[in-house]
């Protein structure tokens, strides 16, 4: 088997975060769907492996951007220097939803740490959407196949979580449409059902991509049912 570092990406909706206290510090807390049974980067992530990884996610750090070496290679976030420079919180209360085959957790963002990252703090203050990305190590067995119309070349085993990253200005690949995202308060949503906020976010991205220019920015004002 090969040992790989893999990145899952999703979204953070900061509009419904709750304020909580931990060890005298103030945190903004909300639910996050970190991953689901899916093919990502040619690797099949199976439900039973995601379920087995649940206890290893709790306490993993939340950082702004994936930490990298001077050569641009990804590295662990579990390092004092990385946490000092990029640390912004932790994830807790991880679980696996058998019905929807989704890996869920809570994202705890330290209010004082947010002050170091002006762009992220602004998005949180405005209740807007943030992109997130989970980093993990795994063992990959070569196996060619197709799952949900996505081809894969490996099956992943023995997931070892490292961190959750807030992506400042980047777009995630496993997004709201894939069933990931933060927060996902309604557990009864199916993979094809989206909240009004999520529909507005997806349509807004499409509008900005098609109509925004270097001289002006386009945005979506509202969405109405037909």
């Amino acid at each position: 088997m090969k040992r790989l570092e893999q990145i899952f990406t999703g979204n953070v909706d900061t509009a419904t975060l709750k304020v909580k206290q931990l060890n005298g510090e103030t945190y903004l807390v909300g639910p996050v769907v970190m991953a689901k049974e899916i093919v990502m980067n040619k690797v099949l992530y199976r439900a039973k492996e995601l379920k087995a990884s649940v206890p290893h996610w709790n306490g993993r750090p939340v950082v702004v951007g994936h930490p990298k070496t001077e050569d641009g290679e990804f590295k662990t976030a579990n390092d004092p220097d990385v946490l000092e420079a990029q640390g912004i919180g932790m994830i807790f209360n991880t679980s696996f939803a058998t019905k929807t085959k989704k890996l869920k957790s809570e994202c705890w963002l330290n209010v004082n740490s947010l002050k170091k990252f002006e762009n992220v703090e602004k998005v949180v203050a405005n209740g807007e959407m943030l992109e997130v990305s989970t980093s993990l190590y795994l063992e990959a067995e070569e196996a060619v196949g197709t799952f949900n119309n996505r081809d894969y070349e490996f099956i992943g085993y023995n997931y070892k979580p490292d961190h959750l990253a807030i992506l400042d200005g980047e777009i995630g690949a496993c997004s709201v449409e894939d069933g990931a995202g933060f927060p996902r308060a309604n557990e009864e949503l199916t993979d094809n059902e989206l909240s009004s906020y999520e529909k507005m976010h997806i349509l807004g991205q499409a509008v900005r991509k098609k109509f925004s220019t270097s001289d002006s920015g386009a945005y979506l004002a509202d969405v109405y049912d037909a």
Side-chain angles (χ1 to χ4, degrees), residues 1-224:
M1 291 189 180
K2 294 184 178 181
R3 182 171 173 79
L4 305 174
E5 180 180 20
Q6 292 288 291
I7 305 295
F8 275 113
T9 47
N11 305 92
V12 177
D13 174 2
T14 64
T16 59
L17 299 182
K18 296 181 179 180
V19 178
K20 295 188 178 183
Q21 300 290 321
L22 178 63
N23 292 332
E25 295 282 343
T26 302
Y27 289 83
L28 298 176
V29 180
V32 56
V33 174
M34 300 188 295
K36 60 177 285 188
E37 189 171 49
I38 195 173
V39 174
M40 285 280 292
N41 302 322
K42 299 297 183 181
V43 177
L44 172 60
Y45 293 85
R46 299 195 296 186
K48 67 177 184 179
E49 294 293 332
L50 290 171
K51 184 177 181 179
S53 74
V54 164
H56 305 297
W57 286 98
N58 294 323
R60 294 298 87 196
V62 178
V63 295
V64 176
H66 289 292
K68 297 181 181 180
T69 65
E70 292 181 358
D71 297 328
E73 298 293 329
F74 288 106
K75 67 177 184 179
T76 180
N78 295 278
D79 176 272
D81 292 335
V82 172
L83 294 177
E84 177 67 24
Q86 299 174 238
I88 201 171
M90 297 156 289
I91 53 177
F92 291 120
N93 298 320
T94 307
S95 63
F96 184 77
T98 303
K99 181 179 179 180
T100 57
K101 299 181 179 179
K102 294 178 181 179
L103 184 69
K104 306 185 302 174
S105 192
E106 283 184 347
C107 180
W108 289 56
L109 302 180
N110 187 292
V111 171
N112 287 327
S113 297
L114 274 172
K115 297 176 182 178
K116 298 187 297 183
F117 305 97
E118 182 178 352
N119 290 342
V120 176
E121 184 182 31
K122 181 179 179 181
V123 171
V124 172
N126 291 336
E128 299 171 358
M129 191 78 78
L130 275 172
E131 300 283 339
V132 299
S133 177
T134 51
S135 175
L136 58 86
Y137 296 92
L138 57 78
E139 294 177 346
E141 178 182 19
E142 292 188 17
V144 177
T146 302
F147 179 80
N148 284 348
N149 298 318
R150 295 187 180 184
D151 296 332
Y152 62 86
E153 299 175 3
F154 301 91
I155 297 177
Y157 297 92
N158 301 324
Y159 305 158
K160 305 299 181 185
D162 190 85
H163 65 271
L164 177 72
I166 300 294
L167 302 181
D168 185 5
E170 299 179 55
I171 302 298
C174 185
S175 62
V176 170
E177 296 103 315
D178 285 317
F182 177 99
R184 289 280 187 167
N186 187 354
E187 186 57 32
E188 296 306 313
L189 286 178
T190 69
D191 290 345
N192 294 320
E193 291 175 329
L194 300 175
S195 69
S196 296
Y197 187 95
E198 291 163 347
K199 292 176 183 177
M200 188 169 180
H201 172 64
I202 294 168
L203 292 172
Q205 283 186 322
V207 168
R208 288 190 292 273
K209 182 177 180 181
K210 184 174 181 61
F211 297 107
S212 292
T213 67
S214 58
D215 298 323
S216 64
Y219 67 94
L220 187 67
D222 210 340
V223 176
Y224 299 91

